[in-house]
Amino acid sequence: MQEYKKCTLTFGKKLFVSILGLFLVFVASFFLFLHFTEKDHKIELLANKLQNLNENINIRIQTMPDADLKHYLKLVCSSELRLTILNPDGDILYDNILNYTDSVINLSDRHEIQEALKDGRGTDVRRASQFLDVDYFFSATKYNDYIIRTAVPYSDKLVETLKAEYHYLWYAMLLAIILICIFYRVTNKLGISINQLRQFAIHIDKNEPYDDILKNISDDDELGEISQHIIRIYQRLHDTKEALYIEREKLIAHLRTSQEGLGVFEKDKTEILVNSLFNQYVNIISDKPLEKAEEVFDIPEFQPITNFIQKALKRARKSELRRKISVQKNGRIFLIRCIIFQDMSIEVSINDVTQEEQQSLVKRQLTQNIAHELKTPVSSIQAYLETIVSNPDIPPEKAKMFLDRCYEQSNRLARLLRDISVLTRMDEATDMIEMEKVDISVLVATIINEVALDLEKKQITIINHLSKKLVIRGNYSLLYSIFRNLMDNSIAYAGNNIQIIINNFREDENYYYFRFVDTGVGVDAEHLQRIFERFYRIDKGRSRKLGGTGLGLAIVKNAVLIHGGNISAKKSQSGGLEFIFTLSKDR
């Protein structure tokens, strides 16, 4: 196979050989044409000379006396020229070489005589007769009463005279060689350009670099320009293909990591691409396992989508069509969207909105709780003030008592609004919270000083085992809220004559582990899982009486989560309430 490839001609050489072959055939045909044309021309010239001689003899016969005519014929007829006069029947009347007085010879069967009788003139080359061992060139002319035939020996000299001349062949051969060189140069240049394109195509097919080939392709002729254009078009297509490939990979990666199930189908519902979440969600919705993604259109819950697709395909509109439905199945809520594109391909997306629906429900409940919590202090303030306004003669002591209660309720209302604001900020603007280095030991010491009077009033002892220089990168206000709310919760609900123990019992590369314990009355186990819920109260009447908003521990949990940690509550060995939580060292 390799030997065969070595012997294979390139395109340029094949083109040159083809053109050369056609050119040589043309030249050979042209030379033969010239050769025979020139030979026929010389024969025609000789025939015309003899015809002219025949005409002169005819004139002399018509005008000269017999004595003068015989003398003239002897002068005209040289030793090589043969003159024969025949009657219309072909009988010889006169021949300057042979003597036919003894017998009459008829020459009507001679070729030149037959042509003369038919066309008025005729020529032929042949041997004269059995008496003369010489070939002659005959030319005969027919007149009214006789035929004049002249002939010259077809000797080597005459053959040489009638031979075509070949001196022009040298010029033709020189011209042919020049043209062949031009053909070779043109076809070779053409072959080089085509071979470069061929090498370019081979390198592209093998995905090999082709920069060196591009350097060798010139644009000094039309083929070079075409090659450059082809290469530029390919490069643009290649760049576009690379960009499309990158976008395709990005799209596939996005589909695989997307938080929604996505499936793309042909108009006949044949699968093009589906991600894992799509398969997971449709199998949750379906009552039986689906082996193929196309089977999703047979699920009863998908019947509205299937009907929508069938109607859209029948209408064959050239614009996008959209439809969405909501499906509840197996305790989950799914939002299903269907898009039919202009090429009638189908995209189906499935989103698990269970959490969003739950959050929406929680928000609605929260709104109701906030309205209820706000209504209580506002109603109290309004009632006390209405009593004072409607009773001008109310005793001052009683009016002062009502105003003090209004003041307490307004403080409670202010705390409630503050806590709601803190929670809203943590829910909606987490990314905008500023972080800084905070020393927890200093922060806790500050809080202990702030609540010193309350601690003394309720005979509460603080045991602070926090390490010195306990630095965390976080938000000071939120970290303050964690320890202040835990402190306020213990002071308010744990009781009198108790201890509050704060320590960081463990530390690793990423986290500090904290323990906040009181030795108070504690919380029943049934409430431990819900104490971090917003507005959840163990004893609602007692909590409101003490001025609690029901949001303190919810703020603690959210602040801990924002700082990369977790928090849990349990009953301590002493019977009180114990909080275990972690805080990330660097957020």
Side-chain angles (χ1 to χ4, degrees):
M1 179 62 73
Q2 292 180 350
E3 293 180 358
Y4 173 77
K5 288 184 177 179
K6 291 180 180 178
C7 297
T8 302
L9 295 177
T10 63
F11 175 80
K13 291 181 179 179
K14 288 180 180 178
L15 182 63
F16 173 72
V17 170
S18 300
I19 294 176
L20 180 62
L22 292 174
F23 179 72
L24 291 177
V25 170
F26 169 76
V27 169
S29 302
F30 181 70
F31 285 167
L32 289 173
F33 173 76
L34 287 180
H35 172 75
F36 289 111
T37 300
E38 185 179 7
K39 185 174 181 180
D40 291 342
H41 177 66
K42 289 188 175 182
I43 292 174
E44 184 67 23
L45 287 177
L46 179 59
N48 288 336
K49 287 182 180 180
L50 293 178
Q51 291 292 331
N52 290 335
L53 180 59
N54 292 344
E55 185 64 29
N56 289 331
I57 294 173
N58 176 55
I59 294 172
R60 294 291 190 270
I61 292 174
Q62 297 294 332
T63 58
M64 293 181 67
D66 292 342
D68 294 336
L69 179 60
K70 289 181 179 181
H71 179 70
Y72 170 75
L73 293 176
K74 288 181 180 181
L75 292 176
V76 171
C77 296
S78 62
S79 59
E80 293 183 352
L81 179 66
R82 180 180 178 184
L83 173 63
T84 307
I85 301 174
L86 304 92
N87 63 21
D89 295 330
D91 297 330
I92 297 176
L93 302 177
Y94 173 81
D95 191 294
N96 67 321
I97 293 179
L98 297 176
N99 186 4
Y100 295 99
T101 56
D102 298 333
S103 61
V104 177
I105 298 177
N106 189 278
L107 301 179
S108 60
D109 59 343
R110 302 296 193 264
H111 180 72
E112 71 276 9
I113 301 301
Q114 292 178 353
E115 284 188 352
L117 291 172
K118 181 180 178 182
D119 301 325
R121 55 181 296 181
T123 59
D124 191 21
V125 177
R126 69 173 189 283
R127 182 155 296 180
S129 66
Q130 66 271 24
F131 304 106
L132 297 174
D133 191 17
V134 179
D135 290 337
Y136 275 90
F137 181 87
F138 294 96
S139 177
T141 306
K142 178 181 179 300
Y143 297 100
N144 293 330
D145 300 326
Y146 46 82
I147 298 172
I148 299 176
R149 186 185 73 173
T150 53
V152 293
Y154 200 71
S155 61
D156 294 337
K157 182 178 180 181
L158 181 60
V159 171
E160 188 67 25
T161 301
L162 296 178
K163 185 187 296 183
E165 297 183 4
Y166 297 102
H167 61 275
Y168 67 89
L169 293 178
W170 299 108
Y171 297 104
M173 290 179 62
L174 178 62
L175 180 61
I177 292 172
I178 293 173
L179 289 175
I180 289 172
C181 293
I182 294 174
F183 289 156
Y184 178 78
R185 178 178 176 80
V186 172
T187 55
N188 184 61
K189 195 170 183 179
L190 182 65
I192 291 173
S193 297
I194 292 177
N195 186 58
Q196 289 171 341
L197 278 177
R198 175 176 171 271
Q199 293 297 324
F200 174 72
I202 291 173
H203 279 68
I204 291 173
D205 184 54
K206 295 182 179 179
N207 200 22
E208 296 177 351
Y210 52 83
D211 294 337
D212 294 338
I213 298 176
L214 297 181
K215 295 177 182 178
N216 297 327
I217 297 179
S218 61
D219 56 355
D220 54 355
D221 56 12
E222 289 81 358
L223 186 60
E225 290 180 2
I226 293 173
S227 302
Q228 292 284 358
H229 286 305
I230 291 173
I231 292 170
R232 281 194 288 269
I233 291 171
Y234 169 77
Q235 288 175 332
R236 286 197 294 269
L237 290 174
H238 182 267
D239 294 341
T240 303
K241 178 183 176 183
E242 289 293 324
L244 288 174
Y245 178 78
I246 293 172
E247 293 300 321
R248 175 180 175 273
E249 291 300 313
K250 288 165 61 178
L251 178 60
I252 292 175
H254 169 72
L255 292 177
R256 288 174 178 171
T257 59
S258 176
Q259 297 303 310
E260 67 175 355
L262 188 65
V264 183
F265 303 87
E266 297 282 3
K267 64 180 181 180
D268 60 354
K269 301 176 185 177
T270 304
E271 173 188 335
I272 298 176
L273 178 66
V274 296
N275 63 0
S276 58
L277 270 182
F278 184 87
N279 289 321
Q280 179 181 341
Y281 288 160
V282 297
N283 278 281
I284 292 174
I285 297 172
S286 176
D287 294 327
K288 61 179 181 179
L290 303 182
E291 296 182 359
K292 297 181 180 180
E294 296 93 326
E295 296 176 5
V296 68
F297 299 105
D298 299 327
I299 300 175
E301 289 78 6
F302 268 75
Q303 194 61 43
I305 295 293
T306 304
N307 294 337
F308 165 71
I309 293 173
Q310 291 175 347
K311 291 179 181 178
L313 294 178
K314 289 179 180 178
R315 286 181 289 182
R317 294 178 58 181
K318 297 300 181 181
S319 58
E320 290 185 2
L321 298 173
R322 298 171 182 265
R323 175 74 186 275
K324 67 178 180 179
I325 62 172
S326 180
V327 174
Q328 295 187 24
K329 193 71 177 287
N330 298 321
R332 307 281 284 275
I333 303 173
F334 297 99
L335 181 63
I336 303 173
R337 293 186 179 91
C338 177
I339 303 176
I340 301 178
F341 297 104
Q342 295 180 1
D343 62 350
M344 294 302 163
S345 59
I346 304 165
E347 177 185 292
V348 178
S349 62
I350 307 176
N351 285 277
D352 185 352
V353 295
T354 307
Q355 186 175 0
E356 287 83 350
E357 290 294 326
Q358 291 174 348
Q359 289 177 350
S360 177
L361 178 61
V362 169
K363 286 182 179 180
R364 289 195 298 270
Q365 293 174 347
L366 178 61
T367 302
Q368 294 172 358
N369 289 335
I370 290 174
H372 178 72
E373 293 295 331
L374 290 174
K375 181 179 179 181
T376 301
V378 170
S379 297
S380 298
I381 293 171
Q382 187 178 9
Y384 288 132
L385 292 177
E386 185 178 351
T387 302
I388 294 172
V389 171
S390 61
N391 296 285
D393 299 330
I394 191 171
E397 297 83 4
K398 201 168 189 178
K400 184 178 181 303
M401 182 186 68
F402 286 168
L403 290 174
D404 288 340
R405 291 180 179 178
C406 286
Y407 178 71
E408 290 175 2
Q409 292 297 325
S410 67
N411 286 336
R412 180 168 174 260
L413 182 60
R415 288 193 297 272
L416 179 62
L417 293 175
R418 181 198 64 197
D419 290 347
I420 291 172
S421 176
V422 171
L423 280 172
T424 302
R425 184 159 62 98
M426 286 191 289
D427 287 341
E428 299 180 359
T430 304
D431 296 337
M432 299 177 63
I433 296 175
E434 296 182 358
M435 299 294 181
E436 59 182 321
K437 290 184 177 181
V438 180
D439 191 330
I440 299 297
S441 59
V442 174
L443 182 146
V444 172
T446 301
I447 294 174
I448 292 173
N449 289 332
E450 291 175 353
V451 298
L453 292 177
D454 294 330
L455 294 174
E456 183 179 353
K457 182 178 179 181
K458 301 194 72 171
Q459 298 180 352
I460 297 175
T461 303
I462 300 294
I463 302 175
N464 184 3
H465 290 313
L466 292 176
S467 304
K468 301 297 182 183
K469 300 294 182 183
L470 197 64
V471 179
I472 288 177
R473 186 175 181 275
N475 181 268
Y476 183 88
S477 297
L478 296 181
L479 291 172
Y480 177 89
S481 297
I482 294 172
F483 291 93
R484 181 60 189 261
N485 278 295
L486 291 176
M487 187 72 72
D488 290 343
N489 187 72
S490 293
I491 292 172
Y493 306 113
N496 299 330
N497 298 312
I498 65 167
Q499 291 181 340
I500 296 176
I501 304 168
I502 308 171
N503 70 336
N504 59 304
F505 64 92
R506 184 182 172 188
E507 174 187 353
D508 59 26
E509 184 178 354
N510 299 314
Y511 295 96
Y512 288 116
Y513 296 79
F514 294 92
R515 180 170 172 262
F516 192 100
V517 187
D518 66 59
T519 59
V521 297
V523 175
D524 292 337
E526 62 187 71
H527 301 293
L528 288 177
Q529 297 299 320
R530 300 191 62 189
I531 60 175
F532 295 107
E533 294 180 10
R534 299 175 186 186
F535 297 111
Y536 183 77
R537 292 183 176 89
I538 297 172
D539 186 345
K540 296 182 180 180
R542 181 167 173 262
S543 178
R544 288 196 180 95
K545 184 178 179 181
L546 294 173
T549 63
L551 296 174
L553 292 182
I555 291 174
V556 170
K557 181 178 181 180
N558 279 19
V560 169
L561 292 175
I562 288 174
H563 286 83
N566 287 291
I567 187 169
S568 59
K570 67 177 184 178
K571 193 170 185 177
S572 67
Q573 293 180 352
S574 62
L577 186 59
E578 180 176 349
F579 294 94
I580 305 295
F581 61 95
T582 58
L583 295 174
S584 176
K585 292 181 177 180
D586 188 7
R587 289 300 295 163

